[in-house]
Amino acid sequence: MSMFPHTVTVYNVSNETNDFFEDVTTNHITILRGVLMDASKAANVRTSGLEGADAVNLYIPFSVEAIDGITGELKQYMPPIEFWRTDDKMGFWTLSDGGNTFFIKGEVVEQDASVQLIEMAYDHVYNVTKIDEKDFGGLQHWEIGGN
């Protein structure tokens, strides 16, 4: 039992060209159980004046339970440069802020959907905009910013 009550689904989206020179988008889907998601829509609207300026902070312990959204197998965290360079991403997940990682509150597995379709179908979809690694103290964790 985790000390954090939330579950989120992380999508690592890779765009590659296959052997037939076709663009192929692959969703690498990871369910993280035992995280804390703190959304601050009201405060953000007050300060920025932008109605659509959702902001969220996501706290992910290094010890989080990470499950493959398709197979149900456990996954391990891999640093972003290493993750995007590896050919076989099965069994791994990452956090990166280059526009290719987003997360959704809850368990949402849409293997073939684009981020645009997911944003239209679900609330609480956030692009990763900031990653702070807190590798010290009693609770080692990532603090993720999203909008």
Side-chain angles (χ1 to χ4, degrees):
M1 180 74 183
S2 169
M3 62 187 260
F4 291 143
H6 299 130
T7 297
V8 297
T9 307
V10 173
Y11 281 68
N12 297 126
V13 182
S14 61
N15 299 301
E16 294 154 356
T17 304
N18 67 13
D19 295 339
F20 304 104
F21 302 102
E22 299 167 324
D23 291 333
V24 177
T25 299
T26 305
N27 290 330
H28 304 279
I29 304 169
T30 307
I31 297 165
L32 302 180
R33 296 186 181 119
V35 300
L36 180 64
M37 194 172 120
D38 180 21
S40 58
K41 181 172 186 162
N44 208 29
V45 170
R46 255 196 328 273
T47 50
S48 70
L50 298 174
E51 193 60 46
D54 292 354
V56 68
N57 286 317
L58 179 63
Y59 302 90
I60 305 172
F62 286 0
S63 62
V64 71
E65 179 185 20
I67 307 290
D68 188 294
I70 306 302
T71 67
E73 300 288 319
L74 285 174
K75 289 175 114 178
Q76 287 186 307
Y77 176 81
M78 181 181 280
I81 291 173
E82 192 178 338
F83 178 86
W84 296 115
R85 282 184 183 159
T86 188
D87 288 333
D88 185 7
K89 294 172 178 51
M90 289 294 293
F92 299 101
W93 67 284
T94 197
L95 294 164
S96 61
D97 58 3
N100 48 10
T101 300
F102 67 94
F103 60 94
I104 308 167
K105 184 176 185 179
E107 290 190 29
V108 178
V109 177
E110 297 282 355
Q111 190 170 6
D112 298 320
S114 67
V115 64
Q116 291 84 2
L117 287 174
I118 291 170
E119 286 176 335
M120 288 189 295
Y122 298 94
D123 291 317
H124 308 292
V125 179
Y126 302 96
N127 286 308
V128 172
T129 57
K130 175 184 70 114
I131 303 163
D132 288 333
E133 191 172 300
K134 306 294 185 180
D135 193 6
F136 56 83
L139 177 63
Q140 296 173 317
H141 65 283
W142 293 281
E143 287 181 19
I144 308 303
N147 65 13

